[in-house]
Amino acid sequence: MSLSVTWLIFVIVPHIFISSCVSEMSNEDTSNFYFRKYRPEVFYDNKVLPEDTEVRVFVFRDEVKKIFFLVEREHGPLSLTITPCSAPVQWKLSLRHYPIADNRQEQNTLQNDIGNGDVAPTFSVLQATYFGQEQRTYTNLNSYAGLYMIEMDSHGNDTSVKIFLSSSSKDHSPHPLLPSNPRVGILKVRRNRVLVTWMASPTESQHKQVVEYCVAANPRKNYKTQCEVDSDINGDIPPTPPPWAGFGFWWEKLARKKLLMKVRDIQKSVVVQNDITYECIGRKTWHMFRGLREGTTYYFDVFAVNPTNNASIAYLGARTATKIPKSGRIRDHSLTTVKLQRSNDFSSVSTYMLRRSTTVLYFFIRPCTGPGPIKLKISQNRKTVLNTRVMNIETLTIRNASSGTYMVTVSSLIHQIRAVQLLVSRRYWKFPFPDLPRDKRVKVFDTLTTHDSVTLAWQASSDEKVRYCIYQSNDTSSLMPVFSCESKADSEENHKEVMCRRYNRYSRNRFQGLIMQKVKGLEPGKSYVFKVLVTKARGKTLPYEQVWVTTRKQ
């Protein structure tokens, strides 16, 4: 194609496009100029906004993005809503006014502008301007006809911007309305739950339009828009241009190549937030957030959404801190969890009140998270009664314990966040955990290992009424550390139950406090992980240490 033909297409195509717009304006019986359905391939080339459809536009940092729309009716309503997503945006709305009184004169004006080489008219009348990250709506019930231009510039990061345009004569906005009190209220705060509520949008009662709600919670900040939440969850990545966009000119191919390189760079650098709880809950005006962390400040946001066009508006968010469980006092037969962290210098002090003397006082301690020993010190009247180090699950006893207040100090010798479970009881039959021996290893007799069986051995509990269960797994990666406070259901996951039984002192499998059990039906030359769980009658379950064994090949 010659250079002259290329120049003709570049000049004549916009001429035909704008002239056709003016001819449509001169005919009162024709339909509106706007595309009623969003067509990305058309919008990408002409940057003309469709009406009554929310369009996503991506604005690169320090680059001005220009979007256009045409208002055909003089003194008609106009509503424009601009919603920045992941960064503040500066935008302004300008108008090139064309008088509608003389359509022929207006068409000649447009043609003269194009003929003089001024394809983009000068937009001299500034209608609105804004800088920030909040959703803003420009409304004019008596707008001028003409060609409008939106200029957007992001001075911070690259960001998406959602734009909604409407010139409908209906008396309500496409976005839901906020109530007279748009604040999110906090009804109930617990250790790991928060109940929030809000007033319903008046759009439902005034315009009989369905409004649904989406809620979000995070420990960092309140969000101004719904698309800001979506950008933090999924990443704000620019859309790739349609493959059929453009007219095939070489500068269009070069611009497309540069755009794709920018998209790849943004995809590599995008940071996704994983600490956001986000859910759409329908038409409810309350929600219970569950599974929150103790003693943590959370920010709560609510968004009213129009399900017909996905247009949304944000309520004024709230914040509150979840409660911290009181671990300062230990009660009888109550399992207490204490946290060792930097704020308490990795040490916790609790009190236990023994109202009357007892022959034996049982102390159960279980490190839950983190490796390394835990130091346990129990004192009464400034006199140390018990001082020991605990590596895993231990049941300790104090003989002939006198009444009074006991100070229980738990500290970590390794400075990292730890959690420790404590339980105190003076009656063994009320003690929920089985009494495990100090040696919790499960041993394998290599001389008795065959191609299809292994023999396991472990120290028996002092309580003969406990029940032992053996579980096996082919997944050697399921070898769990002993400091994990797993429940019985978690222990049985991915493990096959081999057998469950009791071993009294007269059992053939018990020899002087040592239990031996043969496991059959295994495959030759295969590795297995075995775990032994011991359960007290009408009580809880505790694990022995796990063991890894490989059967003989033949």
Side-chain angles (χ1 to χ4, degrees), residues 36-63:
R36 289 300 173 183
K37 292 184 179 180
Y38 176 44
R39 296 169 60 187
E41 70 278 10
V42 176
F43 176 74
Y44 183 81
D45 284 330
N46 61 17
K47 301 297 185 295
V48 176
L49 280 176
E51 192 173 347
D52 296 328
T53 300
E54 192 170 59
V55 177
R56 179 192 176 202
V57 178
F58 199 85
V59 180
F60 292 99
R61 181 179 56 186
D62 297 331
E63 287 187 12

Side-chain angles (χ1 to χ4, degrees), residues 122-347:
T122 303
F123 292 83
S124 56
V125 183
L126 183 65
Q127 301 294 309
T129 182
Y130 172 75
F131 175 76
Q133 199 172 349
E134 295 183 1
Q135 183 184 84
R136 283 291 184 267
T137 299
Y138 168 80
T139 303
N140 190 348
L141 301 179
N142 190 20
S143 64
Y144 291 103
L147 187 62
Y148 287 77
M149 178 177 69
I150 309 169
E151 293 178 275
M152 295 174 291
D153 183 13
S154 175
H155 297 283
N157 298 325
D158 304 327
T159 179
S160 292
V161 179
K162 291 188 175 181
I163 306 176
F164 192 95
L165 172 68
S166 178
S167 61
S168 174
S169 59
K170 296 179 181 179
D171 59 347
H172 67 277
S173 169
H175 290 75
L177 301 176
L178 288 177
S180 57
N181 181 12
R183 295 186 176 275
V184 178
I186 306 293
L187 281 187
K188 189 180 294 184
V189 180
R190 292 292 183 264
R191 180 174 56 88
N192 57 358
R193 304 190 309 272
V194 173
L195 178 63
V196 299
T197 184
W198 58 92
M199 294 180 63
S201 170
T203 301
E204 288 201 70
S205 58
Q206 295 179 9
H207 305 292
K208 308 301 179 183
Q209 188 179 53
V210 175
V211 176
E212 298 179 352
Y213 301 94
C214 297
V215 295
N218 75 95
R220 288 174 293 104
K221 63 176 182 178
N222 281 115
Y223 287 99
K224 299 179 177 66
T225 60
Q226 187 186 27
C227 72
E228 185 183 3
V229 182
D230 183 68
S231 297
D232 276 359
I233 295 176
N234 302 314
D236 199 356
I237 300 175
T240 56
W244 52 82
F247 298 98
F249 298 123
W250 64 269
W251 58 83
E252 292 178 328
K253 295 180 181 179
L254 182 60
R256 180 186 179 89
K257 186 177 180 180
K258 290 182 178 179
L259 178 59
L260 292 177
M261 292 177 63
K262 281 187 176 181
V263 172
R264 284 194 292 267
D265 292 340
I266 293 175
Q267 289 175 343
K268 293 178 182 178
S269 61
V270 67
V271 177
V272 178
Q273 302 292 343
N274 298 320
D275 56 356
I276 303 175
T277 301
Y278 179 75
E279 184 180 0
C280 291
I281 58 172
R283 302 175 68 179
K284 291 193 309 179
T285 56
W286 60 270
H287 183 70
M288 174 72 80
F289 289 93
R290 304 178 185 272
L292 306 179
R293 294 195 300 268
E294 302 170 356
T296 304
T297 299
Y298 282 90
Y299 296 81
F300 302 94
D301 295 288
V302 176
F303 307 96
V305 183
N306 184 347
T308 59
N309 55 19
N310 290 327
S312 63
I313 193 168
Y315 282 66
L316 294 180
R319 71 174 182 176
T320 187
T322 53
K323 291 186 176 181
I324 302 176
K326 295 181 179 180
S327 58
R329 186 177 178 183
I330 303 176
R331 300 179 182 274
D332 267 330
H333 323 301
S334 177
L335 188 64
T336 303
T337 302
V338 297
K339 285 190 174 182
L340 311 179
Q341 50 194 359
R342 189 175 298 276
S343 60
N344 58 15
D345 200 20
F346 304 98
S347 180

Side-chain angles (χ1 to χ4, degrees), residues 490-521:
D490 295 333
S491 290
E492 295 175 358
E493 187 179 359
N494 300 326
H495 284 74
K496 172 186 175 183
E497 182 181 308
V498 177
M499 58 178 301
C500 287
R501 59 166 295 183
R502 291 185 173 90
Y503 301 90
N504 57 45
R505 68 180 65 181
Y506 304 109
S507 174
R508 293 183 302 172
N509 297 72
R510 185 164 175 168
F511 306 94
Q512 297 180 351
L514 185 68
I515 297 176
M516 298 177 59
Q517 181 62 54
K518 189 174 185 179
V519 180
K520 302 178 182 180

Side-chain angles (χ1 to χ4, degrees), residues 435-439 441 457-464 468 503-507 509-516 544:
D435 186 15
L436 294 185
R438 295 191 66 87
D439 186 2
R441 293 176 297 172
W458 63 89
Q459 292 287 337
S461 171
S462 59
D463 186 359
E464 295 186 359
Y468 300 88
Y503 301 90
N504 57 45
R505 68 180 65 181
Y506 304 109
S507 174
N509 297 72
R510 185 164 175 168
F511 306 94
Q512 297 180 351
L514 185 68
I515 297 176
M516 298 177 59
Y544 280 77

